[in-house]
Amino acid sequence: MKAILLAAAAEGEEPNPLIPHLPEIIWGLIFFVALVALMTKYVVPNFEKAYAARTAEIEGGIEEAKAAQNEAQAALEKYTAQLAEARHEAAAIREEAREQGAQIVVEMREQAQAESQRILSAAQAQIAAERQQAIAQLKSEVGGMATELAARIVGETLADTDAQRRSVQRFMDELEGSAN
């Protein structure tokens, strides 16, 4: 190349602006090597540190996300299990309430039957008592009417009340015997 430059200068021509001078090439090469050395020594390690820190941060974030996801999944399973247990307990409580309700219905039915039986027995006793009272009242009225009728027929009064009562009682006993 130097030969081309010398030949061009010897011929009287001007040097070609596209072809640089040799000292410029040498100095450019020296500065380029120095720049590469400085970049390799100072800048590249800082870039490597930044890339490593960023990679570690991203990987740490991914690990944290995985851990959070696993924790959320465990919590979901726990809550699902608790919900299933609560549903089971609710079903057991409902079943127990149904059983208690059925038992209460049975007890109330038994109480109602006992009460109706008591009322029926009391009514029957009252009817029997009223019947006896009515019979006694009828006997005395029939006895009085019979005595009065007998006094009219005989034409005299029957003043002896004990005798009157015995006669009426004998007559009623005969009536009851003939009715049976």
Side-chain angles (χ1 to χ4, degrees), residues 141-151 158 164 168 171:
E141 286 179 14
V142 167
M145 289 183 348
T147 305
E148 188 179 323
L149 182 62
L158 300 173
Q164 183 183 16
V168 170
F171 178 72

Side-chain angles (χ1 to χ4, degrees), residues 121-136:
S121 296
Q124 287 174 347
Q126 185 177 2
I127 289 171
E130 287 178 4
R131 181 174 179 250
Q132 288 298 326
Q133 184 181 6
I135 289 173

Side-chain angles (χ1 to χ4, degrees), residues 3 28 31 42 72 84-85 87 93 98 100 126 129 176-177 180:
F31 283 118
Y42 296 109
E85 182 180 332
R87 285 181 180 160
I93 289 170
R98 276 190 212 117
Q100 288 177 353
Q126 185 177 2
E176 283 180 6
N180 290 336

Side-chain angles (χ1 to χ4, degrees), residues 6 29 49 69 93 102 115 120 134 150 163 168:
L6 291 176
L29 189 60
K49 285 181 188 174
Q69 187 176 12
I93 289 170
E115 183 68 17
L120 183 63
V168 170

Side-chain angles (χ1 to χ4, degrees), residues 35-51:
L35 182 64
V36 168
L38 286 173
M39 293 279 285
T40 305
K41 186 172 182 180
Y42 296 109
V43 176
V44 171
N46 286 335
F47 279 131
E48 290 295 325
K49 285 181 188 174
Y51 290 141

Side-chain angles (χ1 to χ4, degrees), residues 92-167:
I93 289 170
R94 280 192 304 267
E95 185 61 32
E96 184 179 336
R98 276 190 212 117
E99 290 173 1
Q100 288 177 353
Q103 184 178 4
I104 289 171
V105 167
V106 167
E107 289 174 2
M108 294 302 287
R109 190 172 287 145
E110 288 174 357
Q111 287 178 358
Q113 288 176 350
E115 183 68 17
S116 68
Q117 190 65 29
R118 185 190 64 77
I119 290 171
L120 183 63
S121 296
Q124 287 174 347
Q126 185 177 2
I127 289 171
E130 287 178 4
R131 181 174 179 250
Q132 288 298 326
Q133 184 181 6
I135 289 173
Q137 187 178 4
L138 282 176
K139 281 183 182 181
S140 75
E141 286 179 14
V142 167
M145 289 183 348
T147 305
E148 188 179 323
L149 182 62
R152 282 186 190 172
I153 292 174
V154 173
E156 54 184 78
T157 61
L158 300 173
D160 186 12
T161 56
D162 287 334
Q164 183 183 16
R165 201 175 304 137
R166 280 192 304 271
S167 298

